[in-house]
Amino acid sequence: MAIAPPYKSNAPDPAHPRNGFDRFFEITARGSTLSREVRGGLATFFTMAYIVVLNPLILGGAVDGDGKKLSIPALAAATALVAGLMTILMGVVGRFPMALAAGLGVNALVAYEIAPQMTWADAMGLVVIEGVLIAILVLTGLRTAVFRAVPTQLKTAIGVGIGLFLTIIGLVDAGFVRRVPDASNTTVPVGLGINGKIVSWPLLVFVVGLLITIVLVVRRVRGAILIGILASTVMAVIVEAVANVGPSFVNGKPNPHGWALNVPELPKKVVDVPDLSLLGNFNVLDSWTRVGWLIPLMFVFTLLITDFFDTMGTMVAIGQEGSMLDERGTPPRAKEILLVDSIAAAAGGAASVSSNTSYVESAAGVAEGARTGVANLVTGVLFLLAMFLAPLSLVVPFEAASTALVVVGFLMMTAVRTIDWTDYEIAIPAFLTIALMPFTYSISNGIGAGVISFVVVKLAKGKFREVHPLLYGVAVLFVLYFLRGPIESVVL
């Protein structure tokens, strides 16, 4: 009887990188390949390219204290530029597959709460100040120390919560889940599609695209998520060409059967010259004299807390999805990752596009196999090209890109099995962390609820020594964060 030869893997030996590029980015060492990184970079870009359109709509739709608006074309160009540069910087310095762009939620805060009380330059100046403060916290080691003070299972819960958060983002962006028009007359605040039915072409594209992606993932097809996005986009383009569905708003009136943001039609113009006139339009001092010191201080504190913990949660979730965390739940080069994120916050303010931060949609790239900063190079270059190819980047609608977010949400949810649900001292804080992220549409809210409840439970059990000293300080800051409304009403 012949003896079968020993199995020999075709995978490269992690101890012997192929070249200097491989060695620098640790492609082989992290069990990845160049093709996987490229696929991952493409998937990440397609799932977050909407920000080039959405950020200008949010910022450009508001007026500052002087009644002035920002140019939407200039906002689009600057949004793509900063996202591209900061994503590449994260790839080179952090060497971690986490893309950055203007932060949703933060941009709304800047547009509708901060800017109306001062000028746009003053508001962006506060964003710059916040980014510099976070960078100082990183350089002094405090931000990394706080990150490490969070219990490992609570970090796992953060990743799971972000998975559910991604899922609800995908379902809402695709229009599959919508607010009930008159929620005051019903106990149900949200519902399925339009009046509980899937009766529009965009919804059908999303459902079919999601099923295609699920089948590809189950069959473990390489590039499943990216193929799902592209297939859904092609389907959407064909549907629009045949049915002429149109956008979700027509002449200022809602069209519930329309595409959520981008209308998937081939553009008449592919290349356009970017308007970079907003770069450097910020002022760090005038707001303090115009409205007093307390209002800017409260705004900076709110921005600081949001950016600080959103990034912490995102890097845990992405590292968890790619099995890149150590025994303490910390990703490689954590300090460098946090530093680049801090620089991105300041850079966003300096370019008048609001704070730039890490994007949970990067998990779509990790699900495609990305494990290194090479994926960021791909995503970043595509953002830079989007400055010139903005019309082309608008072809992919929410309904196509959102399929990836739902599938990635499932993949991230699987880590819930590693939490000890029999130990209520960690299970209850973990549950609150997981539940509040999607239900309040905020990563920071979920982390805050988890940290505060963890500290309270340990104190109630008389186990105060099991809580890292830094975590007490974090819990106090989150209490102030949640009470900032009453505090502002009293002191302002």
Side-chain angles (χ1 to χ4, degrees):
M1 182 179 69
I3 300 176
Y7 172 75
K8 184 177 181 180
S9 173
N10 292 323
D13 182 1
H16 297 89
R18 293 173 173 172
N19 49 49
F21 185 82
D22 187 338
R23 184 181 300 107
F24 179 82
F25 285 103
E26 301 176 328
I27 300 172
T28 301
R30 296 189 189 181
S32 185
T33 64
L34 188 58
S35 62
R36 288 182 185 175
E37 298 299 316
V38 172
R39 288 203 311 268
L42 288 168
T44 295
F45 175 77
F46 283 126
T47 54
M48 60 184 286
Y50 66 84
I51 195 61
V52 178
V53 179
L54 190 55
N55 192 50
L57 292 180
I58 293 173
L59 293 176
V63 296
D64 66 7
D66 291 343
K68 295 181 179 179
K69 285 189 173 186
L70 296 176
S71 164
I72 288 181
L75 283 169
T79 297
L81 174 64
V82 178
L85 293 178
M86 292 301 104
T87 296
I88 290 173
L89 187 64
M90 178 65 78
V92 175
V93 177
R95 302 175 203 171
F96 193 66
M98 186 168 72
L100 300 98
L104 290 174
V106 174
N107 55 6
L109 174 67
V110 172
Y112 300 112
E113 294 187 40
I114 301 179
Q117 302 194 44
M118 54 193 74
T119 67
W120 280 111
D122 295 339
M124 295 303 171
L126 295 182
V127 176
V128 173
I129 292 172
E130 176 258 334
V132 171
L133 289 176
I134 284 192
I136 292 172
L137 294 178
V138 174
L139 293 173
T140 57
L142 183 60
R143 195 177 186 189
T144 307
V146 168
F147 174 76
R148 290 175 175 166
V150 178
T152 301
Q153 290 195 62
L154 202 54
K155 289 178 182 174
T156 300
I158 290 171
V160 173
I162 289 177
L164 288 179
F165 185 40
L166 273 177
T167 300
I168 191 67
I169 288 174
L171 294 174
V172 170
D173 284 353
F176 191 81
V177 171
R178 305 189 187 202
R179 291 186 182 90
V180 174
D182 189 6
S184 60
N185 293 333
T186 177
T187 57
V188 182
V190 294
L192 169 67
I194 302 171
N195 297 322
K197 302 175 184 177
I198 301 174
V199 292
S200 72
W201 283 109
L203 273 179
L204 183 62
V205 168
F206 168 74
V207 172
V208 175
L210 179 60
L211 291 175
I212 290 173
T213 307
I214 289 172
V215 170
L216 293 172
V217 169
V218 170
R219 293 182 64 87
R220 301 188 182 278
V221 175
R222 287 186 178 181
I225 292 174
L226 181 57
I227 293 172
I229 294 173
L230 295 176
S232 302
T233 300
V234 171
M235 193 189 326
V237 170
I238 295 173
V239 165
E240 177 60 24
V242 174
N244 194 25
V245 176
S248 56
F249 279 87
V250 180
N251 297 324
K253 296 181 180 179
N255 171 26
H257 295 269
W259 302 98
L261 182 62
N262 299 337
V263 177
E265 52 189 7
L266 298 179
K268 298 177 182 178
K269 187 178 182 181
V270 175
V271 180
D272 203 358
V273 178
D275 177 359
L276 300 177
S277 59
L278 290 177
L279 301 186
N281 185 29
F282 69 97
N283 191 310
V284 299
L285 299 176
D286 283 2
S287 60
W288 303 85
T289 56
R290 176 165 177 159
V291 297
W293 63 272
L294 196 54
I295 291 176
L297 186 64
M298 291 300 295
F299 281 140
V300 169
F301 173 73
T302 302
L303 290 169
L304 189 71
I305 292 294
T306 302
D307 267 354
F308 193 107
F309 291 99
D310 271 16
T311 297
M312 187 181 82
T314 301
M315 61 190 277
V316 168
I318 292 171
Q320 190 170 287
E321 170 65 18
S323 302
M324 293 180 284
L325 303 180
D326 61 19
E327 65 280 357
R328 294 184 297 179
T330 304
R333 302 178 66 82
K335 184 175 182 179
E336 288 83 355
I337 293 170
L338 294 173
L339 179 60
V340 173
D341 182 80
S342 307
I343 294 171
S352 297
V353 295
S354 181
S355 175
N356 271 231
T357 188
S358 53
Y359 260 58
V360 292
E361 284 90 339
S362 304
V366 175
E368 274 298 334
R371 296 293 182 272
T372 77
V374 176
N376 276 37
L377 303 184
V378 176
T379 304
V381 168
L382 289 173
F383 267 120
L384 295 180
L385 289 175
M387 287 194 302
F388 303 92
L389 304 175
L392 195 59
S393 67
L394 304 183
V395 175
V396 182
F398 265 165
E399 290 80 1
S402 295
T403 57
L405 301 184
V406 176
V407 172
V408 170
F410 156 72
L411 296 174
M412 296 174 69
M413 181 71 187
T414 58
V416 74
R417 67 187 184 279
T418 63
I419 298 173
D420 184 1
W421 295 103
T422 63
D423 181 3
Y424 284 9
E425 292 178 26
I426 190 65
I428 291 176
F431 165 74
L432 290 174
T433 300
I434 294 170
L436 289 185
M437 282 190 195
F439 292 153
T440 66
Y441 233 65
S442 168
I443 295 174
S444 292
N445 288 349
I447 295 175
V451 169
I452 292 173
S453 60
F454 178 78
V455 170
V456 169
V457 167
K458 288 297 184 182
L459 289 176
K461 294 280 289 185
K463 298 180 179 180
F464 59 92
R465 292 182 179 175
E466 293 185 10
V467 180
H468 194 287
L470 282 175
L471 219 53
Y472 286 111
V474 172
V476 170
L477 288 176
F478 266 120
V479 170
L480 294 174
Y481 172 75
F482 286 126
L483 295 178
R484 66 190 185 279
I487 292 173
E488 287 173 359
S489 65
V490 171
V491 300
L492 296 183

